[in-house]
Amino acid sequence: FKLSKVDPPCFRYPEVAKFKHELEAKFYVKEDQENTSEKKEDQILEKRIQIFQEYRDLILSLRRKKSMVLDESDYNTRSVGSFFINPILNDKEIQKFLNRLKELSIQPPQIFPEGQGFSKISAAWVIENSGLQKGSKYPGGVGISENHCLALVNIDGSTKALLEMATQIREQVFQKFSIHLEKEPV
């Protein structure tokens, strides 16, 4: 990897957006008379290392809350992370989805424009709103994580049981919303 020493940090992780200004403010080195360009460059590099460490720690903290960081004592971390890809729908499919939500008297989720007539919705939202719950257990020693419904966990089961549960989830989401969920892991 070749990392820039001068480009500003890019904070794209969605849940970090609220911390962006605070993190960016820490990045800038104040000007003073005694700062030579070399000394200032060293200070900037030191600040960059510090801010990226804080950014990393913040993301790991957020991921731990969702059991997305391996912890031997927490079966909720026995997953491949997000199991389903966020669905990307064309304008016609979005309208059909919104009409279905009206029929069901369900408030729509946030819809993210993907450009050129396509939008993305949260796979987690459609799973939860199709009646599936975090912490649900399924036959065969598998279940949905207690902390994030996109994480399908192997408590003490088999791959076969996990894939059968994934199929059931996909079918339930399709029955309720006519949306096909795609597996993310290969």
Side-chain angles (χ1 to χ4, degrees):
F1 293 99
K2 185 175 181 181
L3 302 175
S4 172
K5 292 182 181 182
V6 295
D7 289 339
C10 181
F11 303 106
R12 289 192 182 146
Y13 195 86
E15 294 174 84
V16 175
K18 60 186 170 189
F19 300 102
K20 180 181 178 189
H21 296 296
E22 181 184 325
L23 289 170
E24 284 177 335
K26 291 179 181 181
F27 175 72
Y28 296 102
V29 175
K30 293 179 184 170
E31 292 285 338
D32 70 33
Q33 301 285 327
E34 296 177 22
N35 261 354
T36 64
S37 64
E38 191 174 303
K39 185 177 178 184
K40 185 176 178 186
E41 207 173 285
D42 289 345
Q43 287 177 322
I44 289 172
L45 186 56
E46 190 176 307
K47 286 276 190 189
R48 282 180 76 80
I49 292 168
Q50 179 185 9
I51 195 155
F52 284 120
Q53 185 63 47
E54 287 185 35
Y55 186 54
R56 176 188 181 276
D57 293 346
L58 178 59
I59 290 172
L60 284 172
S61 166
L62 293 167
R63 301 300 287 168
R64 270 188 197 91
K65 288 177 186 171
K66 296 178 181 181
S67 295
M68 295 289 191
V69 176
L70 188 59
D71 176 351
E72 293 293 328
S73 65
D74 180 5
Y75 75 82
N76 287 291
T77 68
R78 294 183 208 148
S79 75
V80 293
S82 296
F83 198 86
F84 299 105
I85 297 171
N86 289 325
I88 296 177
L89 309 174
N90 64 37
D91 289 341
K92 185 178 178 181
E93 292 167 324
I94 285 289
Q95 195 53 58
K96 183 178 176 183
F97 173 65
L98 293 173
N99 290 340
R100 178 70 175 141
L101 295 179
K102 274 185 186 175
E103 290 172 15
L104 298 169
S105 299
I106 298 174
Q107 289 295 313
Q110 186 171 3
I111 297 173
F112 304 92
E114 285 290 303
Q116 300 181 347
F118 289 92
S119 298
K120 179 170 52 176
I121 59 173
S122 164
W125 188 95
V126 294
I127 290 168
E128 288 178 347
N129 285 275
S130 69
L132 299 163
Q133 302 295 315
K134 294 176 191 171
S136 297
K137 306 286 190 286
Y138 284 74
V142 295
I144 298 174
S145 168
E146 295 170 354
N147 299 312
H148 196 296
C149 68
L150 281 182
L152 307 185
V153 294
N154 185 343
I155 301 161
D156 61 4
S158 66
T159 300
K160 181 180 184 216
L162 191 98
L163 292 174
E164 287 172 358
M165 173 182 62
T167 298
Q168 290 174 14
I169 291 169
R170 291 174 73 190
E171 288 172 356
Q172 189 161 335
V173 166
F174 184 78
Q175 285 178 349
K176 184 128 185 196
F177 298 119
S178 297
I179 291 177
H180 293 280
L181 289 179
E182 291 182 47
K183 284 190 317 176
E184 187 166 343
V186 177

